[in-house]
């Protein structure tokens, strides 16, 4: 066992560095995270988060993955941390959470390195396929529909990532997303396995997926002034966010 002062950040960068550098990620100059811009429309990133361990004499960490578009209001730390959090998605720790937690002996470099390699293994199984699959704005939209459809709500207010619906000229009805969410809730929250179409739960879920996403998007399409304002705001945000990433030396 190799013992000594454990720098979990240094171990993280050592273990994750090679595979992420090969994928085109760089370490940004502001937060020290691994970041990559895909097609000038999507930012992908990995971050290390230290955490309190359950066992005495141990420490813990998460490795989180996140993605946002250039059309969010601003690329700042709060926004990036929020988008990298676990929970909010259909993923489970076994099938694809956006965060995994590992504990290690606080004074044992070998143990910390071993746990970090386990974290890399989880990332290779879950995170890397997600980032690899996102190659443009449309594939990012599919990622959002699968794992964070809440971010597509309120397009009339230009909230979160909802402007990508307008920029990508999306016209999906989101019925598949609604049905998937419905099935998850049948299994997870209702003992009888059925959500009646007249129930408040059913109506609320349909409202959140169909009305707040597709419905709000269609209101933008139907209003010429609002549509023009949406495209103008999308352009402004993209330029500002790309400039921020240049300052962070993520892109040149």
């Amino acid at each position: 066992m190799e013992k000594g002062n454990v720098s979990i950040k240094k171990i993280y960068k050592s273990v994750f560095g090679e595979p992420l550098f090969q994928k085109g990620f760089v370490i940004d100059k502001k937060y020290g995270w691994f970041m990559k811009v895909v097609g000038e429309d999507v930012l992908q990133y990995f971050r290390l988060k230290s955490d309190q361990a359950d066992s005495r004499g141990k420490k813990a960490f998460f490795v989180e993955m996140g993605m946002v578009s250039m059309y969010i209001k601003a690329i700042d730390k709060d926004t990036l941390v929020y988008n990298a959090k676990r929970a909010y998605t259909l993923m489970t720790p076994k099938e694809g959470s956006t965060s995994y937690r590992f504990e290690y002996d606080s004074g044992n470099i070998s143990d910390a390195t071993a746990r970090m390699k386990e974290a890399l293994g989880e990332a290779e199984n879950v995170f890397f396929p997600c980032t690899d699959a996102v190659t443009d704005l449309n594939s990012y939209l599919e990622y959002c529909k699968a794992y964070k459809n809440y971010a597509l709500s309120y397009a009339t207010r230009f909230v979160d990532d909802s402007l990508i619906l307008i920029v990508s000229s999306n016209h999906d009805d989101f019925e598949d997303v609604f049905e998937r969410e419905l099935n998850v809730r049948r299994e997870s929250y209702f003992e009888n396995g059925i959500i009646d179409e007249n129930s408040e739960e059913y109506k609320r879920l349909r409202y959140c997926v169909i009305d707040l996403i597709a419905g709000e998007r269609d209101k933008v399409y139907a209003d010429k002034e609002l549509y023009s304002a949406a495209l103008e705001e999308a352009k402004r945000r993209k330029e500002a966010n790309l400039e921020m990433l240049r300052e962070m030396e993520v892109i040149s």
Side-chain angles (χ1 to χ4, degrees):
M1 293 184 183
E2 185 181 358
K3 295 190 175 183
N5 294 325
V6 175
S7 172
I8 198 66
K9 289 183 179 179
K10 186 178 291 186
I11 292 172
Y12 167 63
K13 290 181 178 179
S14 174
V15 172
F16 274 76
E18 183 177 352
L20 288 179
F21 290 148
Q22 289 180 352
K23 290 179 176 293
F25 286 80
V26 299
I27 296 177
D28 81 275
K29 301 301 181 182
K30 189 172 185 179
Y31 307 123
W33 300 354
F34 290 99
M35 292 188 174
K36 175 185 177 180
V37 174
V38 179
E40 288 199 352
D41 282 314
V42 181
L43 175 67
Q44 302 176 342
Y45 54 97
F46 287 80
R47 68 185 290 260
L48 176 73
K49 178 186 176 184
S50 296
D51 192 46
Q52 186 174 356
D54 296 328
S55 304
R56 190 173 183 178
K58 289 182 176 289
K59 293 184 179 180
F61 66 87
F62 294 101
V63 173
E64 295 180 330
M65 178 273 289
M67 284 191 246
V68 295
S69 80
M70 294 298 113
Y71 306 101
I72 59 172
K73 188 173 182 180
I75 291 180
D76 54 36
K77 191 169 185 179
D78 288 343
T79 298
L80 297 180
V81 169
Y82 175 78
N83 277 275
K85 283 187 178 294
R86 56 203 174 109
Y88 309 123
T89 73
L90 295 179
M91 296 178 177
T92 68
K94 290 183 179 179
E95 297 174 358
S97 172
T98 53
S99 178
Y100 290 85
R101 185 173 181 275
F102 298 87
E103 293 193 358
Y104 62 95
D105 291 334
S106 58
N108 189 325
I109 297 173
S110 297
D111 185 52
T113 302
R115 301 291 79 73
M116 192 61 69
K117 289 181 178 179
E118 288 181 14
L120 176 60
E122 296 285 12
E124 290 173 335
N125 289 331
V126 178
F127 299 153
F128 290 2
C130 283
T131 56
D132 290 348
V134 174
T135 57
D136 55 20
L137 193 59
N138 286 322
S139 51
Y140 173 65
L141 176 55
E142 293 303 311
Y143 169 81
C144 288
K145 287 163 66 176
Y147 301 121
K148 58 171 193 175
N149 60 70
Y150 63 88
L152 303 175
S153 302
Y154 296 108
T156 57
R157 304 182 195 176
F158 310 160
V159 173
D160 210 335
D161 252 335
S162 60
L163 281 175
I164 68 174
L165 296 168
I166 310 304
V167 174
S168 64
S169 299
N170 177 268
H171 288 278
D172 294 349
D173 58 17
F174 280 83
E175 287 287 348
D176 288 344
V177 176
F178 169 68
E179 289 296 331
R180 187 191 65 233
E181 292 275 8
L182 190 62
N183 288 333
V184 169
R185 291 176 184 252
R186 280 195 184 103
E187 296 172 2
S188 302
Y189 299 111
F190 293 87
E191 293 182 0
N192 61 3
I194 298 173
I195 301 178
D196 187 87
E197 290 187 8
N198 295 316
S199 70
E200 289 302 316
E201 293 86 357
Y202 182 96
K203 292 177 181 177
R204 176 62 181 170
L205 181 60
R206 187 170 183 84
Y207 173 79
C208 289
V209 176
I210 303 297
D211 294 342
L212 292 188
I213 299 177
E216 285 282 294
R217 174 206 62 203
D218 290 345
K219 288 178 183 178
V220 177
Y221 289 146
D223 187 323
K224 290 183 179 180
E225 290 187 6
L226 186 58
Y227 179 70
S228 296
L231 292 180
E232 186 175 324
E233 176 63 9
K235 180 180 178 181
R236 185 197 67 77
R237 289 184 182 185
K238 180 176 181 177
E239 290 174 351
N241 287 328
L242 287 174
E243 181 58 32
M244 173 62 72
L245 292 172
R246 290 187 190 97
E247 293 176 7
M248 295 164 66
E249 298 185 23
V250 177
I251 56 177
S252 57

